Amino acid sequence: MNDRKLILGDWRFREAGGAEWRPAQVPGCVHTDLLRNGLIPDPFDGTNEIDLQWIDKKDWEYETAFDVPGELLTHSKLELAFEGLDTYADVELNGRQVLSADNMFRGYRVDVKPWIRGSGNTLRILFRSPIREGLAKLEAHGYGLPASNDDSETGGIGESKVSVFTRKAPYHYGWDWGPRFVTSGIWKAVSLEGWSGCRIRDLFIRQEEVTEAAARVTAVAEIEAEAAGAARLTVTTEGYEWTKEFELKPGVQTVELPAEIANPKRWWCRGFGDPALYDFKAVLAAGGRPIDGRAVRTGLRAIRLVRDPDAHGAAFYFELNGVPVFAKGANHIPNDSFVTELTYERYRHEIASAAESNFNMLRVWGGGVYEADVFYELCDEYGILVWQDFMFACSMYPGDEAFLDNVRREAEDNLRRLRNHPCIALWCGNNEIDTAWAHYNEEGGWGWKKLYSPEQRERIWADYEALFHDVLPKAVERMAPGADYWPSSPMQALTGNIDQHATNRSARGDIHFWAVWHASEPFENYNDNIGRFMSEYGFQSFPEYRTARSYARDEDMELESRVMLHHQKNKRGNQLIREYSDMYLKAPKDFVSFLYMSQVLQAEAMKIAIESHRRSKSYCMGTLYWQANDCWPVASWSSMDYFGRWKAVQYYARKSFKDVLLSAAEKDGAASFHVISDRLDAVRGRLAVRLYDFEGRVLKEETLPVSVGSNAAEMVFALRTAEWLDGRQPERVLLVGELTDDAGETLDVTAHYFVSSKRLALEEPGIQVREAAGSGGTAFTLTASRLAKQVYLEAEEEGIFSDNFFDLVPGIPKTVTFRRRSDGDIPFVQGSPGSLTVRSMTDFAIV
């Protein structure tokens, strides 16, 4: 098994036909290459996006020259392997066209042995403008297709929605949280690979049955050979070895090798056990010597999507190793408009933040990309389940045979690449298209149907069904047998009638609830719109001051400035944040204060939503808010901004996603306390409920024993609000609940207010901060003389606190620890925050 791969580097690029070549970085794209060469300004700064739309109208050329080492040249097969070409690419080797590519999401391989030379090879790739290609396809189509988030106006092509005709990341064309940068370039590695005789092209560990007692798997090896002959396949892992003798056949064949592991270490998601992983190695031998090898890492687990009928409608939850899992997490979008800029550390920061925030699931949303291998490897290691969309979102798509065949190959490539990852829990056909079109409900959907004639409507829907009800599910069944497929999110069930389409009150399937935000409904409506699985809902905020200043100058720091509006891609976004803020919060002192207030507002909204879903556990079995991250610095629904800085909502989510949560709610004159447990053992202890005034005096209290079963949610205490207030002013008191276990250890603490923050009688809280003894400047204890709302700790260094945006009650000290973002090898390492700034609501609001 000698080194048989040559990674091709030393690339240069130019506008097609131009005179001057400039250095290029591969992987990369034309936008980042232009930026590195000083030919364009920072695309994210100010309104530069608008001025850079010319780039996607041009053709671009990339070129490299290379020699082939003698050992590699001796192989009978030499293949150029392109892991990712974005998107319309004509490839020439030594003046001969060897490939024409048209799908960003596919890999391409071509045997170039007849045309390769030992030295002086030239590889040139012409990238044709995706916009011009799309316009030609649109014209040929005749009437176009809906694509609500395709920002064609910013792109300078009017109402021409071309994104749907190109198999390329949909968000590149713009979205309601992201800019329009329609890239071209070599976005993954290019290599020359040689082989002779035979090789293993792929190794899949198909899991037949996994229990506590045994794991039955089949090692499925895809083998390619030049000639017939005797061969042996050997597979090993952790002291186990299995061997199979077989006959090689010219061409490609599949060899299956059954295997069994006794008492396997099973893979669990975060909170349920260790995410144990196995390394499987396969060796192909012929003629008495090893010829090729391949290794894969996987985790042994049994996972399924349960949709059994019940008294309410039908369940919708994931069962892992026989245990029902309440899914907790968020929707993931690409971490950058230019994904080749992403580093291992940036991916690790996102996944480590998810685990730190008590997530057990991320949904890879269908308007981005099938993520890099490292993303799934990290989810495997951290125990984060992945709901994986295919890359289709909020649009209707063509259904001609060429398009369907292209998608079929795309699906096969990505299923083959990702199917060994234990983190993947579900493959989903698309985002929101079933409900957006709503074929079986004439008055439903987003109004798209009314733009077309009856004949066109039937054709568009038939194309939809061909893609999402035929091509994709068959690909999943063929490439990842046993994996679950869900045609569209949200959806009730594949019924072929009006009951197929999800509503805000669906009692089966999943729900995207957007009446809070898009329909301006109050936060309280989260409590009344709870489905079996809440796969989208959300609320926006601005990023913190440092992040806003990365794109805005002094004169831009106004809510309605041109730059602030440009970095708000939802048309009414800034207005909606202000309208909701006026409903729930006091007036901010200035725009900088409004940045903080918007984050508090978002956090409070998501707390209401998440905890209402968790209190309904068993009926509702999943809550994935929109969205975890950003692709550029912007006001959006994210809980971490573009730079990975935690917003207030990330801290709130960490608490609301705790494995044992104490949650308070109020309705019809009664306040109730609920214990929600994801533990597989019972929770027993005591609940203390105390009524405090804002000076820290305990006005009333009650303590009671608590017992909650495994993996369950129960209301454990209720009180009549009027009785506990007893004539006191509700804007000057709060309830604090503390749940302790039988050993006296605190499991959770929660605060409940009787009025909104807008009405609270806040005064300067007199916060005192002192360094915690023995912490070396990494931990601090805070106290207050009066109630401090949403205490905001700001560090000079990048990192996170053990808590932030918390309420500080007089007489209840709070100690917080700072952890730096990374020490290089390890995320979140305890360290000094540098200078520390501590403020609270009264520093930002007019009280």
Side-chain angles (χ1 to χ4, degrees):
M1 269 77 78
N2 298 317
D3 183 12
R4 298 180 298 187
K5 177 187 286 190
L6 174 67
I7 302 292
L8 300 187
D10 297 322
W11 290 86
R12 59 182 188 169
F13 84 112
R14 69 181 181 184
E15 184 181 337
E20 185 177 2
W21 290 96
R22 295 179 182 270
Q25 180 170 301
V26 171
C29 73
V30 66
H31 289 74
T32 53
D33 285 330
L34 289 168
L35 180 62
R36 286 190 180 91
N37 282 275
L39 300 176
I40 61 171
D42 180 356
F44 295 161
D45 188 27
T47 60
N48 287 345
E49 174 198 355
I50 298 170
D51 299 327
L52 299 179
Q53 295 304 307
W54 60 271
I55 298 170
D56 59 31
K57 316 299 189 300
K58 304 286 187 180
D59 296 342
W60 299 91
E61 292 178 283
Y62 281 72
E63 182 181 86
T64 187
F66 63 96
D67 300 332
V68 182
E71 184 179 355
L72 184 57
L73 195 61
T74 61
H75 284 289
S76 56
K77 299 286 187 181
L78 284 173
E79 295 178 347
L80 277 173
F82 302 91
E83 294 182 23
L85 295 173
D86 176 17
T87 292
Y88 295 102
D90 296 323
V91 181
E92 289 185 357
L93 175 66
N94 298 329
R96 175 187 292 269
Q97 182 165 335
V98 295
L99 174 68
S100 184
D102 64 353
N103 190 323
M104 177 183 180
F105 302 126
R106 285 174 57 187
Y108 295 88
R109 305 180 75 92
V110 56
D111 189 354
V112 294
K113 177 69 175 181
W115 309 295
I116 206 77
R117 299 192 288 256
S119 61
N121 295 283
T122 300
L123 183 63
R124 182 175 295 183
I125 306 176
L126 171 67
F127 288 97
R128 307 191 308 277
S129 161
I131 300 303
R132 293 210 311 269
E133 291 289 326
L135 288 169
K137 291 176 182 288
L138 173 60
E139 183 178 3
H141 185 267
Y143 49 82
L145 295 166
S148 300
N149 285 283
D150 184 330
D151 188 6
S152 54
E153 290 189 7
T154 293
I157 56 174
E159 293 297 315
S160 298
K161 308 293 185 183
V162 300
S163 57
V164 298
F165 299 103
T166 298
R167 290 311 299 145
K168 175 176 174 55
Y171 84 110
H172 283 173
Y173 295 83
W175 218 266
D176 60 0
W177 37 257
R180 182 183 177 95
F181 291 118
V182 187
T183 56
S184 289
I186 307 169
W187 78 293
K188 294 187 178 182
V190 179
S191 60
L192 182 69
E193 300 179 14
W195 64 281
S196 301
C198 56
R199 65 172 174 175
I200 302 174
R201 298 207 321 180
D202 184 65
L203 178 63
F204 172 38
I205 306 301
R206 189 175 70 215
Q207 303 189 28
E208 315 292 356
E209 183 182 25
V210 178
T211 66
E212 185 177 7
R216 288 193 307 105
V217 303
T218 302
V220 182
E222 188 178 275
I223 294 172
E224 186 172 14
E226 293 184 273
R232 178 190 298 115
L233 179 68
T234 301
V235 176
T236 59
T237 187
E238 297 203 6
Y240 287 88
E241 179 176 301
W242 305 274
T243 299
K244 183 172 186 176
E245 309 278 348
F246 68 99
E247 286 294 316
L248 287 170
K249 300 175 183 177
V252 179
Q253 68 188 104
T254 298
V255 177
E256 297 193 356
L257 181 53
E260 184 168 319
I261 297 172
N263 305 310
K265 294 174 290 184
R266 289 182 292 177
W267 187 91
W268 292 93
C269 65
R270 195 220 62 79
F272 286 81
D274 294 330
L277 296 169
Y278 284 79
D279 291 307
F280 286 83
K281 297 179 181 178
V283 175
L284 175 63
R289 63 185 182 88
I291 303 296
D292 197 13
R294 174 139 333 211
V296 298
R297 173 173 286 187
T298 192
L300 302 176
R301 86 288 185 267
I303 191 162
R304 68 186 185 109
L305 176 63
V306 178
R307 298 195 296 116
D308 298 337
D310 61 20
H312 306 287
F316 193 104
Y317 66 88
F318 293 94
E319 182 187 86
L320 178 62
N321 298 325
V323 177
V325 173
F326 188 101
K328 302 178 294 189
N331 287 261
H332 160 91
I333 67 169
N335 276 301
D336 208 296
S337 291
F338 310 111
V339 291
T340 54
E341 296 299 289
L342 292 172
T343 62
Y344 172 80
E345 193 279 334
R346 287 178 68 183
Y347 274 118
R348 187 186 65 188
H349 177 69
E350 181 194 3
I351 305 307
S353 291
E356 178 71 22
S357 302
N358 298 311
F359 288 21
N360 58 28
M361 178 173 276
L362 286 168
R363 175 181 174 229
V364 177
W365 165 80
V369 297
Y370 305 96
E371 272 296 353
D373 292 341
V374 65
F375 174 89
Y376 303 97
E377 290 164 2
L378 286 163
C379 288
D380 290 344
E381 294 167 10
Y382 278 88
I384 303 297
L385 292 164
V386 172
W387 169 315
Q388 178 67 53
D389 282 5
F390 287 96
M391 292 302 114
F392 301 89
C394 302
S395 307
M396 302 305 287
Y397 290 87
D400 58 274
E401 191 51 45
F403 186 86
L404 294 179
D405 183 64
N406 201 357
V407 171
R408 186 180 295 111
R409 293 170 185 268
E410 167 192 322
E412 289 172 351
D413 280 2
N414 286 284
L415 284 157
R416 181 182 290 108
R417 178 170 68 94
L418 301 177
R419 60 188 175 179
N420 280 309
H421 288 286
C423 63
I424 294 182
L426 179 70
W427 289 89
C428 179
N430 68 72
N431 176 72
E432 295 187 341
I433 305 178
D434 184 88
T435 50
W437 184 261
H439 190 70
Y440 303 109
N441 182 356
E442 184 60 29
E443 300 307 316
W446 298 356
W448 291 350
K449 297 191 297 292
K450 299 182 185 302
L451 303 175
Y452 298 92
S453 69
E455 294 78 12
Q456 290 171 338
R457 286 166 57 161
E458 291 303 320
R459 170 64 186 276
I460 292 169
W461 184 247
D463 289 346
Y464 173 91
E465 291 192 305
L467 183 54
F468 300 109
H469 298 171
D470 184 64
V471 169
L472 291 179
K474 286 180 177 176
V476 172
E477 183 179 6
R478 183 169 61 254
M479 301 299 297
D484 281 302
Y485 173 81
W486 186 239
S488 183
S489 177
M491 198 177 80
Q492 292 199 67
L494 194 58
T495 62
N497 58 42
I498 195 171
D499 294 330
Q500 178 167 310
H501 312 310
T503 72
N504 286 344
R505 298 295 180 92
S506 298
R508 54 182 177 168
D510 65 320
I511 289 177
H512 294 189
F513 180 70
W514 282 106
V516 176
W517 182 262
H518 287 303
S520 299
E521 292 188 8
F523 293 166
E524 291 75 16
N525 284 13
Y526 282 127
N527 293 311
D528 301 322
N529 292 272
I530 301 172
R532 312 309 299 265
F533 196 106
M534 306 300 291
S535 47
E536 272 194 34
Y537 58 92
F539 195 87
Q540 278 201 6
S541 73
F542 282 84
E544 65 176 71
Y545 178 78
R546 281 184 298 176
T547 299
R549 290 309 302 262
S550 74
Y551 59 82
R553 310 222 176 353
D554 287 345
E555 63 270 22
D556 304 320
M557 296 295 286
E558 298 288 344
L559 186 64
E560 300 294 320
S561 74
R562 184 167 181 258
V563 168
M564 282 301 156
L565 291 174
H566 189 77
H567 283 254
Q568 166 58 270
K569 292 298 184 176
N570 185 257
K571 294 189 185 304
R572 288 195 65 239
N574 288 2
Q575 281 183 286
L576 280 170
I577 296 172
R578 181 165 56 188
E579 289 171 12
Y580 275 99
S581 183
D582 290 345
M583 290 170 60
Y584 291 102
L585 298 178
K586 299 179 187 298
K589 292 180 177 178
D590 50 30
F591 180 68
V592 173
S593 298
F594 186 68
L595 301 180
Y596 160 89
M597 302 285 275
S598 75
Q599 290 203 16
V600 168
L601 184 71
Q602 178 193 33
E604 291 288 343
M606 292 301 91
K607 178 180 187 290
I608 293 170
I610 292 169
E611 296 193 12
S612 69
H613 303 156
R614 292 197 69 192
R615 288 195 299 270
S616 298
K617 183 175 180 174
S618 78
Y619 177 81
C620 176
M621 286 295 288
T623 178
L624 307 178
Y625 65 81
W626 185 269
Q627 66 206 63
N629 55 326
D630 277 326
C631 69
W632 74 319
V634 66
S636 81
W637 293 272
S638 71
S639 56
M640 290 186 294
D641 70 24
Y642 172 72
F643 297 104
R645 294 164 181 156
W646 284 25
K647 295 182 179 180
V649 68
Q650 192 75 43
Y651 288 98
Y652 270 53
R654 178 166 63 178
K655 183 179 187 308
S656 293
F657 282 154
K658 288 181 67 173
D659 291 341
V660 177
L661 170 70
L662 178 63
S663 176
E666 188 172 2
K667 187 176 182 179
D668 298 331
S672 55
F673 287 82
H674 304 248
V675 174
I676 302 96
S677 174
D678 295 332
R679 290 184 180 175
L680 300 185
D681 55 349
V683 174
R684 295 183 178 85
R686 299 188 70 78
L687 172 66
V689 178
R690 300 180 180 93
L691 181 70
Y692 287 88
D693 65 17
F694 286 2
E695 284 70 45
R697 289 182 286 266
V698 177
L699 307 175
K700 185 176 176 65
E701 64 180 309
E702 187 165 339
T703 302
L704 65 152
V706 168
S707 179
V708 175
S710 68
N711 212 8
E714 293 183 25
M715 185 180 77
V716 294
F717 180 64
L719 58 86
R720 300 303 302 176
T721 300
E723 292 177 10
W724 275 62
L725 286 176
D726 194 23
R728 302 178 182 95
Q729 294 177 298
E731 64 270 21
R732 295 182 178 275
V733 294
L734 75 153
L735 285 172
V736 175
E738 182 180 14
L739 178 67
T740 56
D741 62 18
D742 285 339
E745 294 293 320
T746 299
L747 296 175
D748 198 17
V749 176
T750 193
H752 175 72
Y753 295 86
F754 298 99
V755 298
S756 70
S757 290
K758 181 175 184 175
R759 292 180 53 198
L760 293 177
L762 299 179
E763 300 177 40
E764 166 58 41
I767 298 173
Q768 298 292 319
V769 183
R770 59 179 175 82
E771 182 180 314
S775 72
T778 66
F780 305 87
T781 299
L782 292 83
T783 57
S785 55
R786 285 171 294 280
L787 176 72
K789 281 288 290 176
Q790 278 99 15
V791 177
Y792 174 37
L793 308 181
E794 192 173 12
E796 178 184 11
E797 298 290 336
E798 296 285 353
I800 63 172
F801 290 93
S802 56
D803 201 359
N804 209 346
F805 295 92
F806 52 83
D807 293 352
L808 194 58
V809 178
I812 308 178
K814 177 86 170 182
T815 299
V816 295
T817 302
F818 182 76
R819 285 184 285 165
R820 295 191 180 214
R821 173 166 167 158
S822 171
D823 70 351
D825 297 325
I826 302 173
F828 303 139
V829 176
Q830 191 163 331
S832 169
S835 64
L836 177 67
T837 303
V838 180
R839 291 173 287 178
S840 70
M841 180 63 74
T842 57
D843 294 298
F844 299 98
I846 298 172
V847 296

